[in-house]
Amino acid sequence: MIFTYSRCNLDRRQRTLQRFFEILPGATSWGILLGFILLSLWEPLVAAALIIAFDLYWILRLFYMNIFLALSYARLSWERKTDWLKRIDDTRDIDRSLRRPQAASSGNKLPEIISEVINRRELAELKNSGQTVPSYDDIYQLVIMPVVRESRDIVEPGIKSLSEGAFPSRRILVVLAVEERSSPEIRDAAQRLAAEYRGRFLEFLVTLHPDGIAGEARVKGANATFAAKVAVGFFTEKNIPFENVIVSCFDADTIVNPDYFNCLTYSYIVTPNRTQASYQPIPVYHNNIWEAPAFARVLDIGSSFFQLIEATNPEQLVTFSSHSMSFQALVDVGYWPVDMISDDSAIFWKSYIHYDGRYRVIPLATTLSMDITQAKTWRKTLVNVYKQKRRWAWGVENFPILMRAFLGSPTIPLRQKLRHSFKLFEGHISWATWPFLLTFIGWLPTLFAGREFSHTVLYYTGPRITTTIFSLASIGLLNCIILSLLLLPKNPAKNTFWTKMGQALEWLSVPFIMIFLSGMPALDAQTRLALAKRLEFWVTEKERKKAADK
């Protein structure tokens, strides 16, 4: 279908629909919160019953998420030892690879057996699709890294990781996409990096995105789109087919592990209809994790956990932060939106609509690392973390555009429309309301209870039921603590027993984080959208301690 993925230049009917769906998330979130408060005042018995029902639903959801978190973490751990080049070599002769004896007959351990079972299933699906299998030697990588005010010490580690990986760097085109409004120091640093590292790659380009292009906002997607159009000219001149190019749009602080591009390339090769898919790794925030305050560390570990859980449900997975896709698809859909803040999720929805629902996200069993938001002071870090999470929550801006597209599309199956609409809407509503319901509003029926309610059985049993539910929730929290300790990189400082205890006790800050650094930013974003107070793109401040300061 022909649909412009934008809120701008709409006719009267589309503007009306756009505003209705912009108001709906914020109105729903505020309606739930205020409704529970008023109900606690006027009908505490009903409010208490609803709160208990919600708590039961929440604990079941928590156990469900913990199960899949553990499974996803296990898969990630198993695949760390995978020889991706060998897997890629298996795609050269699929019949031979499928005839090879299974790992179980060689006495391998269970994780290796499961990994090979998954590999065989992927090879069988590729064979049954009847599609051409591209050669590893014909695959190129395009890495676009938008830069606004990130200094060289932030950008260079990522560039270095690209050059030192297992994938041949001579088949990687790096584009450092610098904004024209960046300071002369940032622009000069980009040129010096290009001069120093150019010989290690296929090419190292520095683009300068002009300010004030008509129809563009000051957002990362506009900068990345300008850089991608430059890359189109490069690959066209080199006669390299776009379908053989995988484009990755990375934040400037992104560091890839040595096997990242081989894992990505394998997934690209074995995926049927590979150009109609995005490829999502698990983002971790390890670059400066031991320098950041505890609350910021716990919050971003939680973000990684959320992506681990989402990876277990590929049918509803949406791209987040640094990810990859076919360059052919990027060109076909018209690049990233140039007037939206949430470009990482918007490019998925834009592609999904362009291909009439025949577009998906493939989870990658690998990680890439970024920075935790950090400033020079604890207080400034707190403010920056709030702003970053509000920007993430601004992904709700996709909801009204997506709903307009769904209403106007006769080709996307109704079941898919309902499934994606509900997940996107419910996800944002939960984000904005659950923290308040769990930590504050859930106790109001007891506090506001009148004489009539205070003599009911529910008055006495309600708090006890809620306390029991939260006691059960501690099991889920314990699981998160254990997995966080396993996921964290080694602390350069002495990792004593008391250090590990301190890391575990950091999770006691979860109630504070839920309210002030999760629920409030989400509610803030939805309220701004409902009131048509557009959020400006805010570049996350990046700070790393110098070696002498450590």
Side-chain angles (χ1 to χ4, degrees):
M1 63 172 289
I2 299 175
F3 180 84
T4 302
Y5 200 86
S6 174
R7 64 180 178 83
C8 301
N9 302 318
L10 306 178
D11 59 32
R12 184 175 179 179
R13 179 177 178 276
Q14 291 297 310
R15 282 199 305 271
T16 302
L17 286 173
Q18 177 74 18
R19 280 302 295 145
F20 172 77
F21 288 117
E22 285 179 348
I23 294 170
L24 187 60
T28 303
S29 293
W30 278 109
I32 291 172
L33 297 177
L34 294 177
F36 266 107
I37 293 173
L38 294 176
L39 205 59
S40 298
L41 288 168
W42 296 333
E43 294 290 343
L45 184 62
V46 176
L50 290 175
I51 288 294
I52 291 172
F54 167 75
D55 287 344
L56 288 171
Y57 165 75
W58 176 77
I59 194 66
L60 291 173
R61 182 84 173 262
L62 181 65
F63 278 117
Y64 164 85
M65 291 191 296
N66 269 272
I67 291 170
F68 284 97
L69 172 61
L71 291 173
S72 187
Y73 175 79
R75 169 85 193 281
L76 188 65
S77 300
W78 299 339
E79 300 294 9
R80 282 175 181 166
K81 299 178 182 179
T82 297
D83 185 345
W84 295 108
L85 274 177
K86 182 179 181 300
R87 291 274 176 93
I88 291 170
D89 187 61
D90 288 343
T91 64
R92 299 180 190 274
D93 190 339
I94 296 177
D95 289 329
R96 183 198 64 187
S97 300
L98 292 175
R99 288 195 302 268
R100 186 179 58 221
Q102 292 193 25
S105 63
S106 305
N108 287 0
K109 296 180 180 179
L110 181 61
E112 295 168 337
I113 296 172
I114 295 175
S115 178
E116 182 163 340
V117 168
I118 294 172
N119 173 229
R120 285 174 174 269
R121 184 189 66 194
E122 291 169 337
L123 291 176
E125 288 177 356
L126 178 60
K127 177 185 176 182
N128 293 335
S129 72
Q131 296 180 11
T132 303
V133 180
S135 169
Y136 172 72
D137 299 326
D138 293 333
I139 299 296
Y140 291 80
Q141 306 289 342
L142 165 61
V143 179
I144 298 175
M145 302 180 74
V147 173
V148 181
R149 60 186 186 194
E150 292 84 358
S151 59
R152 176 171 177 145
D153 63 307
I154 297 294
V155 179
E156 186 172 14
I159 301 296
K160 190 176 180 182
S161 72
L162 298 177
S163 67
E164 295 177 349
F167 188 89
S169 59
R170 291 290 185 175
R171 297 210 306 272
I172 300 177
L173 169 63
V174 178
V175 183
L176 212 54
V178 183
E179 291 283 5
E180 184 182 55
R181 63 180 181 274
S182 298
S183 67
E185 292 78 14
I186 297 297
R187 285 182 283 175
D188 291 344
Q191 294 294 347
R192 288 195 297 271
L193 275 171
E196 183 175 337
Y197 283 89
R198 180 169 284 117
R200 306 186 191 186
F201 297 103
L202 173 65
E203 182 57 276
F204 193 128
L205 304 176
V206 176
T207 60
L208 196 64
H209 175 231
D211 225 8
I213 296 178
E216 290 189 356
R218 286 190 167 190
V219 294
K220 187 177 77 173
N223 188 6
T225 292
F226 183 84
K229 290 178 179 178
V230 173
V232 165
F234 177 88
F235 287 116
T236 300
E237 183 180 340
K238 298 289 184 180
N239 293 317
I240 297 174
F242 294 168
E243 61 267 22
N244 287 352
V245 179
I246 306 172
V247 55
S248 303
C249 188
F250 288 163
D251 290 347
D253 58 334
T254 301
I255 296 176
V256 300
N257 65 58
D259 285 330
Y260 176 79
F261 284 113
N262 279 339
C263 174
L264 169 62
T265 303
Y266 165 78
S267 295
Y268 187 76
I269 289 174
V270 299
T271 299
N273 300 313
R274 60 189 65 85
T275 62
Q276 292 176 218
S278 291
Y279 302 83
Q280 179 67 59
I282 304 298
V284 295
Y285 300 85
H286 290 172
N287 294 352
N288 61 338
I289 195 163
W290 300 118
E291 302 170 11
F295 69 86
R297 181 161 54 244
V298 170
L299 185 61
D300 280 341
I301 290 173
S303 298
S304 298
F305 283 178
F306 178 76
Q307 287 302 308
L308 279 166
I309 295 167
E310 289 290 284
T312 63
N313 187 13
E315 287 188 359
Q316 292 187 277
L317 184 60
V318 176
T319 47
F320 171 78
S321 190
S322 298
H323 62 276
S324 307
M325 64 186 296
S326 163
F327 192 47
Q328 182 66 63
L330 182 66
V331 174
D332 287 347
V333 304
Y335 310 96
W336 292 275
V338 298
D339 56 358
M340 297 180 67
I341 289 175
S342 56
D343 57 276
D344 51 357
S345 55
I347 187 59
F348 167 77
W349 293 120
K350 186 176 182 180
S351 303
Y352 182 86
I353 293 166
H354 177 85
Y355 291 111
D356 292 324
R358 295 184 296 274
Y359 195 86
R360 55 184 173 149
V361 178
I362 305 297
L364 299 180
T366 188
T367 63
L368 43 72
S369 182
M370 294 173 286
D371 283 15
I372 293 176
T373 301
Q374 185 180 357
K376 294 180 179 179
T377 65
W378 188 92
R379 180 178 297 179
K380 183 65 173 174
T381 298
L382 188 64
V383 173
N384 286 354
V385 169
Y386 180 91
K387 289 182 178 179
Q388 184 192 52
K389 303 317 172 191
R390 184 178 62 184
R391 190 190 71 197
W392 288 6
W394 192 253
V396 71
E397 68 175 330
N398 286 285
F399 177 71
I401 301 177
L402 189 65
M403 292 306 296
R404 289 194 296 106
F406 282 175
L407 290 174
S409 173
T411 52
I412 299 176
L414 178 61
R415 181 174 176 274
Q416 291 187 33
K417 293 179 184 179
L418 294 175
R419 185 180 71 226
H420 284 299
S421 299
F422 176 77
K423 184 176 187 296
L424 183 60
F425 184 72
E426 187 271 340
H428 282 285
I429 300 305
S430 300
W431 190 351
T433 59
W434 282 20
F436 296 98
L437 293 173
L438 291 169
T439 60
F440 172 62
I441 296 177
W443 303 96
L444 293 183
T446 302
L447 295 176
F448 295 152
R451 182 183 299 272
E452 180 182 352
F453 177 52
S454 63
H455 287 84
T456 63
V457 174
L458 189 59
Y459 174 79
Y460 291 99
T461 59
R464 291 172 175 81
I465 294 172
T466 302
T467 301
T468 302
I469 289 172
F470 276 89
S471 297
L472 291 173
S474 63
I475 300 173
L477 180 61
L478 180 62
N479 181 49
C480 290
I481 292 172
I482 293 171
L483 289 181
S484 72
L485 295 176
L486 293 173
L487 189 63
L488 288 174
K490 187 176 180 181
N491 192 337
K494 191 174 180 181
N495 214 5
T496 64
F497 169 79
W498 294 110
T499 302
K500 292 181 179 180
M501 282 297 295
Q503 293 166 11
L505 291 175
E506 290 172 359
W507 285 85
L508 295 177
S509 63
V510 165
F512 163 82
I513 290 171
M514 285 176 61
I515 286 287
F516 296 103
L517 298 177
S518 183
M520 285 182 64
L523 193 59
D524 185 350
Q526 292 177 25
T527 304
R528 287 172 178 267
L529 183 65
L531 298 177
K533 294 184 177 181
R534 309 297 302 182
L535 192 67
E536 294 293 329
F537 187 83
W538 177 79
V539 180
T540 305
E541 184 175 348
K542 309 287 184 180
E543 285 283 342
R544 288 187 194 162
K545 293 181 180 179
K546 306 294 184 184
D549 299 331
K550 293 183 179 179

